[in-house]
């Protein structure tokens, strides 16, 4: 970012600074990286609850009589089959099958959808949806300025939220959302998240963000709720085996290359962008398995980073996509794409080339961590 360009603050910027947050540039947004110890924040989410500002995410509203048909054409999932109040994890791909972004789409009404894109790809997704909307009786609206997004995640999050809303949280299943009021603030209450824990994401008007944050902070004080930054969000999602765009996902990969071919719904009616290329990718994956996304757990203490080579018997067999010290496991972990022949858990002789030294790693199935139900 050039010096002439200003980082975009969220509606909670003053709150973060008052809390002493270390701020960072994330996709042009001025975001809290951590407030104190990122390990403590991570552990709080795993054992109690954490509060996140996710207002950098890109909200795009699609409305109109053919909104569902447009999204079925523009995305690889079957959004027309989603009931009102449901959320779907899906992807938007290029005509060659390359992944432009992974998305969560909420069906708010019969003819209204909320598409949530990653911050770094929001403009790309918006432009693609607008281009693909030609010929459909539907409107694609940039609503990034219309929302602040606050998440409360962790095992104590249902109890904290129940103190502030009369919405039926017990009846709110995973990957569903409903309109409600939290601490007097109108919100879309979604049971979604990116931590591997139970939790909620609250979409509100930016002008209500500070009041909601403060109410959640007060309601969660007795339950050990702490503010959490992007740093622990990354270690949490990595332990949970969740992909991050730019690391596990990119335009160089199709959903089948990423091991996420299940999100491509060939059975839906009509054509969709990338159908032909994705059909070919599915056939290739069935006959010649692509590299497989696996987990790696260090035997030593050295931390692998994205781009490091995975090796076995002196040969390069893959590449690390994400790596971090795992607070939960107490050892460094990584996700990596490796040749199918070396992808089975427990495959012997696998290591990571860390600055010329081949450090031993155990191949494990993802995720590294799965919460207790």
């Amino acid at each position: 970012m050039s010096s002439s360009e200003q980082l975009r603050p969220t509606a909670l910027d003053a709150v973060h600074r008052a809390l002493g947050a270390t701020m960072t540039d994330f996709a042009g947004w001025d975001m809290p990286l951590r407030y104190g110890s990122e390990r403590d924040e991570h552990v709080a989410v795993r054992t109690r609850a954490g509060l996140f500002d996710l207002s950098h995410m890109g909200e795009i509203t699609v409305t109109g009589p053919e909104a569902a048909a447009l999204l079925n054409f523009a995305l690889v999932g079957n959004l027309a089959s989603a009931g009102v109040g449901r959320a779907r994890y899906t992807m938007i791909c290029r005509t060659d099958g390359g992944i432009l972004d992974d998305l969560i789409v909420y069906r708010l009404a019969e003819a209204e959808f909320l598409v949530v894109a990653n911050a770094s790809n929001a403009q790309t997704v918006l432009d693609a949806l607008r281009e693909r909307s030609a010929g459909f009786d539907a409107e694609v609206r940039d609503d990034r300025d219309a929302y602040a997004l606050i998440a409360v995640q962790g095992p104590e999050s249902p109890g904290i939220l129940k103190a502030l809303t009369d919405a039926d949280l017990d009846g709110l299943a995973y990957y569903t959302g409903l309109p409600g009021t939290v601490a007097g603030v109108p919100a879309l209450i979604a049971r979604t998240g990116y931590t591997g824990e139970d939790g909620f994401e609250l979409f509100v008007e930016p002008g209500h963000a500070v009041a909601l944050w403060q109410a959640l902070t007060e309601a969660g004080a007795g339950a050990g709720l702490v503010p959490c930054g992007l740093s622990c969000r990354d270690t949490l999602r990595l332990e949970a085996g969740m992909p991050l765009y730019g690391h596990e996902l990119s335009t160089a990969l199709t959903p089948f290359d990423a091991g996420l071919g299940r999100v491509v719904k060939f059975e839906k009616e009509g054509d969709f962008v990338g159908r032909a290329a994705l059909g070919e990718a599915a056939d290739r994956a069935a006959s010649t398995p692509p590299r497989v996304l696996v987990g790696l757990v260090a035997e030593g203490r050295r931390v692998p980073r994205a781009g490091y080579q995975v090796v076995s018997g002196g040969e390069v067999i893959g590449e690390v996509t994400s790596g971090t010290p795992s607070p939960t496991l107490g050892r460094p972990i990584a996700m990596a794409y490796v040749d199918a022949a070396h992808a089975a858990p427990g495959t012997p002789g696998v290591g990571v080339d860390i600055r010329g030294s081949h450090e031993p790693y155990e191949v494990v199935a993802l995720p590294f961590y799965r919460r207790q139900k």
Side-chain angles (χ1 to χ4, degrees), residues 219-273:
L225 176 79
V226 301
C228 295
L230 294 181
S231 185
C232 85
R233 179 171 152 91
D234 189 53
T235 56
L236 289 159
R237 71 91 194 168
L238 209 166
E239 286 186 350
M242 295 177 169
L244 175 64
Y245 196 89
H247 289 256
E248 289 73 40
L249 307 174
S250 72
T251 53
L253 299 171
T254 72
F256 294 93
D257 297 322
L260 292 167
R262 65 183 181 276
V263 306
V264 182
K265 305 301 182 184
F266 291 113
E267 69 275 14
K268 63 181 175 179
E269 291 184 10
D271 194 14
F272 62 91
V273 176

Side-chain angles (χ1 to χ4, degrees), residues 81-133:
S81 69
V84 173
R86 301 294 304 185
R88 290 274 172 88
Y89 175 77
T90 187
M91 294 181 181
I92 182 168
C93 292
R94 304 190 305 192
T95 54
D96 66 0
I99 303 167
L100 284 172
D101 200 16
D102 62 334
L103 312 165
I104 295 180
V105 181
Y106 301 87
R107 189 166 200 165
L108 304 182
E110 196 63 30
E112 182 179 7
F113 295 80
L114 180 65
V115 178
V116 182
N118 286 295
S120 57
N121 294 329
Q123 190 64 47
T124 297
V125 174
L126 177 67
D127 292 345
L129 287 175
R130 283 178 168 164
E131 179 182 336
R132 296 173 189 188
S133 69

Side-chain angles (χ1 to χ4, degrees), residues 37-55:
S37 160
E38 57 198 51
R39 184 185 185 283
D40 289 349
E41 292 171 22
H42 180 113
V43 171
V45 175
R46 286 277 179 257
T47 60
R48 304 185 305 278
L51 189 61
F52 295 84
D53 179 9
L54 306 179
S55 301

Side-chain angles (χ1 to χ4, degrees), residues 31 46 72 88 100 104 109 148 179 189 195 220 230 245 282 290 304 326 331 337:
M31 296 295 296
R46 286 277 179 257
N72 264 21
R88 290 274 172 88
L100 284 172
I104 295 180
I189 306 169
T195 63
L230 294 181
Y245 196 89
S326 167
R331 290 194 284 171
Y337 283 110

Side-chain angles (χ1 to χ4, degrees), residues 316-371:
V316 176
I317 61 163
E319 184 175 297
V320 170
T321 54
S322 298
T324 188
S326 167
T328 303
L329 274 64
R331 290 194 284 171
I333 59 172
M335 287 200 283
Y337 283 110
V338 302
D339 295 342
H342 296 85
T347 298
V350 173
V352 176
D353 186 341
I354 301 180
R355 297 189 179 89
S357 174
H358 289 188
E359 300 291 325
Y361 274 75
E362 178 187 0
V363 179
V364 300
L366 292 169
F368 300 97
Y369 167 85
R370 198 184 301 273
R371 71 182 173 93

Side-chain angles (χ1 to χ4, degrees), residues 2 61 108 134 206 232 242 309 315 325 349:
S2 71
T61 301
L108 304 182
C232 85
M242 295 177 169
Q309 292 179 336
E315 299 292 325

